[in-house]
Amino acid sequence: MSKTRVHHRIRFPDRAAHLVDVELTVEEAEEGGTFLDFPVWTPGSYLVREYARHVTGLSATRLRGEPVPVEKVDKRTFRIDAKPGKKVVVRWRVYANELTVRTSHVDSDHAFLVPAATFPCVRGRESEPVEITVERPEGWNTFTALPLTGEDTFRADDYDHLVDSPIEVGPHRAVTFEVSGVPHRIALAGDGNFELDQLLEDTHAICRTA
């Protein structure tokens, strides 16, 4: 397994205000500075979304807390002026208050994160693996297609894999089933007027056909 030099950590300290705190640790900063590019659009929704407009308070430090200069190069790109080979920690907040399949939404009941709206691409490391640690509220669980590699830590093979893997966090009920040896999991949020056995039967048939 390739060494992970890009690691994100997400927290939800102010869910009522629809905010998510994101922390990025980058190993071995690049010559000329580390560039973070926030996506303009997301796969499956090919319109300009300008996700960087929901990002606030972006700052950077070294491991001991010394500040590192940050420059906003354009509307979606930040340059972190870290010395080559050094580790840098970048922090920001994302405002998430639009519940659609292409935008993020966080409140007291759950958190749905579209990765393109949450995580920037570290320029030059698009093909490298990425790890994400979720500091979930007590009683909540994390639901994502990304494989679990440690306690509350998930791994994407590269940046494309990350943005194709939405993350849902909440106190949801989960049911599992298997199709052709492949495990599946459905997260059920809140109450609904449905028959669970019928839902599983129908979903099993859809997966088997696909």
Side-chain angles (χ1 to χ4, degrees):
M1 181 178 291
S2 301
K3 178 184 176 182
T4 302
R5 299 193 296 168
V6 178
H7 186 278
H8 292 284
R9 181 177 296 273
I10 54 178
R11 305 179 178 92
F12 308 96
D14 199 355
R15 302 191 301 276
H18 313 292
L19 294 170
V20 52
D21 285 7
V22 189
E23 178 181 290
L24 165 64
T25 301
V26 180
E27 301 275 357
E28 303 168 12
E30 302 291 340
E31 185 74 38
T34 295
F35 288 81
L36 306 182
D37 297 316
F38 283 87
V40 173
W41 56 275
T42 191
S45 181
Y46 303 103
L47 294 176
V48 172
R49 302 294 173 192
E50 304 291 12
Y51 291 123
R53 64 193 172 96
H54 297 302
V55 174
T56 61
L58 191 142
S59 64
T61 64
R62 298 181 180 88
L63 285 184
R64 294 182 179 179
E66 304 97 327
V68 175
V70 174
E71 174 190 6
K72 189 171 184 180
V73 178
D74 55 39
K75 64 181 179 180
R76 72 183 193 96
T77 304
F78 293 84
R79 176 180 173 271
I80 313 301
D81 191 19
K83 294 182 179 180
K86 297 296 184 179
K87 182 181 291 187
V88 63
V89 181
V90 189
R91 299 178 178 87
W92 63 93
R93 277 191 155 186
V94 176
Y95 181 68
N97 191 26
E98 185 179 355
L99 185 57
T100 74
V101 297
R102 61 185 178 272
T103 54
S104 298
H105 185 263
V106 175
D107 63 15
S108 57
D109 296 322
H110 85 126
F112 175 70
L113 302 181
V114 171
T118 310
F119 308 113
C121 177
V122 181
R123 190 180 297 179
R125 299 189 179 180
E126 297 88 341
S127 61
E128 293 187 18
V130 181
E131 284 190 337
I132 306 95
T133 297
V134 181
E135 291 192 9
R136 51 191 172 85
E138 184 177 357
W140 285 26
N141 294 303
T142 304
F143 304 90
T144 179
L146 294 172
L148 188 68
T149 61
E151 185 176 0
D152 294 319
T153 297
F154 303 85
R155 179 186 175 96
D157 294 335
D158 51 33
Y159 188 72
D160 286 342
H161 186 199
L162 174 61
V163 297
D164 272 336
S165 305
I167 299 171
E168 169 75 11
V169 190
H172 311 324
R173 180 164 55 116
V175 292
T176 61
F177 62 96
E178 191 172 289
V179 178
S180 301
V182 178
H184 294 69
R185 181 169 59 160
I186 300 175
L188 302 172
D191 298 323
N193 182 22
F194 64 92
E195 294 291 337
L196 180 57
D197 291 341
Q198 188 64 53
L199 172 65
L200 289 175
E201 181 180 338
D202 293 345
T203 308
H204 191 285
I206 291 169
C207 294
R208 187 172 60 249
T209 301

